[in-house]
Amino acid sequence: IEREQTGSAYPEPVIADLDDDGFAEIIVAAADGRIMAYHYDARQVDGFPLSVGKGVGSVPALADLDADGITNLAVTGADGNVYVWSLLRDYVEENIFWAGFRNDMQHTSFAQSREGNEPIESELMPSKSVYNYPNPTEGNSTTIRYWLNDDADITIRFYDMAGEFIKEIKSTGFADTANELQLNVTNFQSGVYLTRVEASNSQNTSVSFFKMAVVK
């Protein structure tokens, strides 16, 4: 699938729980030929980035291509070659939430299973549930996601790595669901930002931090 067919300069991501920890990893191919993978908290997955040299010509795909029980990552390069890596991780079909272009070989664009298990914790906003995607973001927007165990008011503050305050957003969140908020990063410069998310209601307050990378 040529990049132009995806509707974006960057192919859509592949989503899978590669390390079987209950949280999805995001794999995305950049136009310069790098294949990058990130955990939910923006940490880079060990062994990445990978490279196809002259550029990417397709959306990445995850499968067990040689039926050895190990996950393979495949992508077509702009040079016409197909590049395949063994990720040295067990292939578990239930952990592959979005395997390739439009999800599967039939291009159904339909996810059969949830993208990972939401954490079940007693605190108002479990810290492991708070992150943004894609991260890094290379467009004009990113999505901030957080799980709440009760309705709450949300305050999100952004700081640069020197500690200077950049922006504040206020919103509301709903109980027992993964809340999402679209952030326009047009006015953010390239760099890494510390993001502070606070959830509060009349009974509890929870605060979580994560790093958001912006690439322009």
Side-chain angles (χ1 to χ4, degrees), residues 33-120:
R34 289 176 299 150
I35 311 297
M36 299 173 290
Y38 297 93
H39 296 287
Y40 70 91
D41 58 0
R43 290 180 296 113
Q44 187 167 270
V45 175
D46 290 344
F48 287 83
L50 304 171
S51 176
V52 298
K54 293 185 178 180
V56 176
S58 75
V59 173
L62 290 173
D64 181 6
L65 296 176
D66 48 6
D68 64 352
I70 301 299
T71 302
N72 299 118
L73 173 65
V75 67
T76 301
D79 56 8
N81 293 317
V82 177
Y83 296 79
V84 179
W85 296 269
S86 174
L87 299 184
L88 302 179
R89 294 169 172 87
D90 292 340
Y91 181 80
V92 180
E93 187 173 0
E94 293 78 9
N95 288 354
I96 309 297
F97 308 121
W98 201 264
F101 182 64
R102 294 183 179 174
N103 185 32
D104 50 31
M105 292 181 64
Q106 293 74 36
H107 296 173
T108 65
S109 296
F110 177 74
Q112 297 282 351
S113 60
R114 298 174 64 187
E115 296 177 7
N117 298 321
E118 299 293 354
I120 300 176

Side-chain angles (χ1 to χ4, degrees), residues 6 14 23 27 32 43 56 71 74 89-90 94 99-100 106 115 139-140 144-145 151 155 183 201 208:
T6 68
V14 172
F23 294 96
I27 301 174
D32 63 3
R43 290 180 296 113
V56 176
T71 302
R89 294 169 172 87
D90 292 340
E94 293 78 9
Q106 293 74 36
E115 296 177 7
N140 293 324
I144 297 174
R145 194 178 200 193
D151 293 349
T155 301
L183 172 67
N201 58 23
S208 183

Side-chain angles (χ1 to χ4, degrees), residues 124 150-153 199-205:
L124 176 59
D150 201 354
D151 293 349
D153 295 321
S200 62
N201 58 23
S202 58
Q203 288 80 36
N204 292 294
T205 297

Side-chain angles (χ1 to χ4, degrees), residues 131-132 142-146 156 158 179-181 183 197 210:
Y131 58 94
N132 77 294
T142 187
T143 301
I144 297 174
R145 194 178 200 193
Y146 50 92
I156 305 174
F158 303 90
N179 295 265
E180 293 190 342
L181 182 149
L183 172 67
V197 182
F210 65 88

